[in-house]
Amino acid sequence: MYYLGLDIGSSSIKIALVASNTGKSVAVVQEPEVEMSMLAIKNGWAEQNPEDWWGHACHGIKRLIKTHGISSEEIIGIGISYQMHGLVVVDADQKVLRNSIIWCDSRAVPIGQKAFEEIGEEKCSEYLLNSPSNFTASKLKWVKDNEPEIFAKIHKFMLPGDYIAMRFSGKINTTVSGLSEGIFWDFKKKDIASFLMDYYGLDASLVPDIVETFGIQSRVDAKGASESGLQVGTPILYRAGDQPNNALSLNVFNPGEVAATGGTSGVVYAVTDSLSVKESARVNNFAHVNYTPGNDSRIGKLLCINGSGIQYRWLLNNLDVASYDEMNKLAEEVSVGSDGVVIIPFGNGAERMLNNQEVGTRLVNINLNNHGKGHLCRAALEGIAFSFVYGMEIMESDGIRVNVMRAGNDNLFRSDIFSETVATLIGYDIEIYNTTGAIGAARAGLLQDGDYQVFGKAIMENDYILTFKPLENKAEYQRAYQLWKKELETIINNL
């Protein structure tokens, strides 16, 4: 028997199968094979058609079943991970009324900022744990203000994962974790954030029914079975946004545990038992997957670094090198600190952790006679690592205590230089696991009975690769970091 996991990303849809008795990954497929497109009608906008997500998901499920000779009757549960903060709106017949306004669309920023100022920073921090910012609630308000004829037809709003669950089951529901990522959840009253809904002029009837994060949320109906190739009655057992799900995939559930990713952007996601918020303008706070209104001691603090992996990819595309491995080998020939060369890696738009300033990418202290490709490669890896450390300092100022960081086996964390630099400067272990969001979503079926020990055991036995420990020669890393930090703060002070 198997659990099926879907990861609904903005670039692709990944579908995984894991064995239900061991949690071992059996297969992962990706649809489509090329990256999905985004519609950008105006600068800063980003939309996708939810029907495309569903079509790719169905095609991938059928391909996976056929390729691996698995009967749909052997799939006993579904888990869904999805791109966070997106908005999907449907009418009473469950028809999509407009394209989804996805996570990276910035059109609602002024709406969220105005709400933050008029409601008040103190109340937003105390009740929402966030600024309304560019989250789902603000996007829904944008539709209300700018597309009133569409808004008038809305029966329910949803997050992307809620939409996929609806297509499977015909049922519209969501989770507290999902509502919190859309900034619809009041952490103080432990209910829908009615004061924000009232401020935005949004009726409570638009909110989907709330179900538990783990357990039977709904079941595949006849239409969902016909389109997906699954059996009628197959339960949907789990749903979460991609970053809380990534934490779940890495067995991060408790205070002191941190999940990190180093893809196109970098993310640090730390679990805390504190509702205290000091950095709501720079750090997002959401109900983690194991949060319950009766036990609110599991909050996920998320810090995003836009300019991380994209920096290293830019170098790959613009240096005369063949691969990341070649770049890593060139970097290893250069000593800690890159002989004074500093790269500030924030060239992917405004950085929330830098108070939404556009710092850009900066190359500092290069000597055209002495420095070459290896210095650039090492300085880039160190610069990205230093941005993670800088982010961790912000997190710790916001009350985070850390015991361990866990990360997936992606491009950045495969680099010894990157991982050792981060581990040495933050002073604790970084454990590397070979897992994905789709595998984690599938494996979440093991948690329908709440047995976290069994779940953690499956991750350790199937996914663990290695641990990077802090190095003893910390002083030279600290000197390099302080030089980098000085250059960054000089730039920020002159903006």
Side-chain angles (χ1 to χ4, degrees):
M1 298 296 178
Y2 304 94
Y3 292 122
L4 179 80
L6 295 97
D7 186 8
I8 311 300
S10 51
S11 298
S12 66
I13 312 298
K14 296 183 179 67
I15 306 104
L17 275 180
V18 303
S20 63
N21 59 337
T22 64
K24 183 177 178 60
S25 173
V26 174
V28 180
V29 300
Q30 175 177 306
E31 291 286 341
E33 293 183 3
V34 296
E35 188 170 309
M36 287 191 296
S37 62
M38 298 179 192
L39 178 63
I41 300 171
K42 296 182 179 180
N43 288 340
W45 289 23
E47 300 182 359
Q48 289 182 322
N49 185 349
E51 297 277 353
D52 292 342
W53 305 335
W54 175 244
H56 292 313
C58 291
H59 189 268
I61 292 168
K62 291 173 182 176
R63 178 158 70 95
L64 190 148
I65 289 172
K66 181 179 180 181
T67 302
H68 295 276
I70 293 168
S71 166
S72 60
E73 295 176 353
E74 294 177 280
I75 297 174
I76 60 172
I78 304 165
I80 302 170
S81 167
Y82 57 90
Q83 49 174 300
M84 297 172 73
H85 319 308
L87 173 69
V88 180
V89 290
V90 297
D91 64 16
D93 296 321
Q94 299 187 357
K95 299 296 184 185
V96 174
L97 292 169
R98 69 172 328 283
N99 283 338
S100 173
I101 303 176
I102 66 172
W103 65 277
C104 53
D105 186 296
S106 60
R107 74 185 72 182
V109 168
I111 291 172
Q113 185 58 38
K114 183 181 178 184
F116 192 50
E117 293 169 359
E118 295 188 352
I119 294 171
E121 180 176 350
E122 184 176 344
K123 184 163 187 176
C124 287
S125 297
E126 185 177 354
Y127 289 78
L128 303 174
L129 307 188
N130 293 286
S131 161
S133 190
N134 190 37
F135 296 116
T136 314
S138 301
K139 291 169 180 171
L140 184 56
K141 168 66 170 169
W142 184 93
V143 175
K144 180 177 185 291
D145 290 348
N146 293 275
E147 298 174 343
E149 70 289 351
I150 290 175
F151 184 82
K153 298 176 184 177
I154 297 175
H155 172 59
K156 298 288 181 185
F157 72 81
M158 287 177 280
L159 297 156
D162 303 331
Y163 170 79
I164 296 298
M166 182 198 78
R167 293 302 301 264
F168 276 123
S169 66
K171 304 289 185 184
I172 300 177
N173 51 42
T174 191
T175 65
V176 170
S177 179
L179 288 172
S180 78
E181 75 176 68
I183 317 300
F184 290 104
W185 187 251
D186 185 328
F187 284 90
K188 191 165 185 179
K189 293 188 175 180
K190 302 177 183 179
D191 202 348
I192 302 301
S194 56
F195 74 91
L196 181 67
M197 298 283 285
D198 291 344
Y199 174 84
Y200 277 163
L202 305 174
D203 194 272
S205 64
L206 298 175
V207 181
D209 295 336
I210 300 174
V211 294
E212 299 290 338
T213 299
F214 302 104
I216 298 176
Q217 300 176 343
S218 57
R219 294 182 182 273
V220 175
D221 65 7
K223 188 171 186 293
S226 172
E227 294 178 4
S228 69
L230 298 178
Q231 287 288 305
V232 172
T234 306
I236 296 171
L237 298 173
Y238 163 78
R239 193 179 325 161
D242 53 12
Q243 293 306 326
N245 179 73
N246 180 63
L248 170 139
S249 305
L250 294 165
N251 196 30
V252 169
F253 295 102
N254 301 306
E257 298 172 345
V258 176
T261 57
T264 301
S265 61
V267 174
V268 179
Y269 184 97
V271 178
T272 179
D273 56 4
S274 171
L275 291 176
S276 172
V277 175
K278 297 177 182 176
E279 295 282 1
S280 61
R282 299 201 285 177
V283 177
N284 303 137
N285 300 271
F286 307 121
H288 193 31
V289 293
N290 55 342
Y291 168 99
T292 62
N295 176 21
D296 58 4
S297 61
R298 294 296 181 269
I299 304 299
K301 286 185 176 289
L302 186 154
L303 181 138
C304 184
I305 307 159
N306 290 338
S308 60
I310 193 170
Q311 164 76 67
Y312 213 44
R313 187 175 70 190
W314 186 91
L315 276 181
L316 174 67
N317 293 336
N318 288 278
L319 289 180
D320 184 21
V321 290
S323 66
Y324 287 121
D325 286 341
E326 182 182 346
M327 291 172 68
N328 292 342
K329 287 175 182 175
L330 286 168
E332 287 168 0
E333 297 172 1
V334 177
S335 61
V336 174
S338 307
D339 193 25
V341 178
V342 170
I343 290 183
I344 305 295
F346 302 116
N348 191 27
E351 287 287 347
R352 183 173 170 85
M353 80 166 184
L354 301 179
N355 293 310
N356 290 315
Q357 296 182 96
E358 291 206 31
V359 171
T361 284
R362 312 288 181 105
L363 176 59
V364 181
N365 300 336
I366 193 162
N367 184 305
L368 301 178
N369 297 310
N370 301 327
H371 297 142
K373 284 189 290 187
H375 294 87
L376 294 179
C377 292
R378 174 128 201 163
L381 283 172
E382 289 183 334
I384 301 164
F386 295 155
S387 69
F388 271 73
V389 176
Y390 192 84
M392 286 304 303
E393 290 179 353
I394 295 171
M395 299 281 271
E396 288 172 355
S397 74
D398 204 25
I400 288 295
R401 69 178 192 273
V402 180
N403 299 324
V404 65
M405 177 182 281
R406 298 187 179 116
N409 189 30
D410 49 34
N411 285 331
L412 286 175
F413 283 98
R414 276 202 293 266
S415 162
D416 289 357
I417 290 173
F418 175 82
S419 294
E420 288 174 353
T421 299
V422 175
T424 301
L425 287 168
I426 61 179
Y428 45 85
D429 292 355
I430 300 178
E431 298 174 358
I432 307 298
Y433 294 82
N434 189 27
T435 189
T436 68
I439 292 171
R443 196 176 279 153
L446 296 169
L447 281 169
Q448 59 183 308
D449 298 322
D451 196 333
Y452 289 90
Q453 284 190 331
V454 169
F455 183 84
K457 185 171 181 285
I459 290 175
M460 286 299 296
E461 290 182 350
N462 293 311
D463 301 340
Y464 174 76
I465 299 175
L466 81 161
T467 296
F468 289 98
K469 292 187 172 294
L471 301 177
E472 292 183 3
N473 57 333
K474 189 171 183 176
E476 57 185 334
Y477 286 90
Q478 288 176 323
R479 283 193 295 272
Y481 174 57
Q482 291 304 321
L483 174 60
W484 179 90
K485 192 174 178 180
K486 180 182 177 182
E487 296 289 357
L488 172 64
E489 291 176 349
T490 298
I491 294 165
I492 291 173
N493 291 335
N494 286 303
L495 286 177

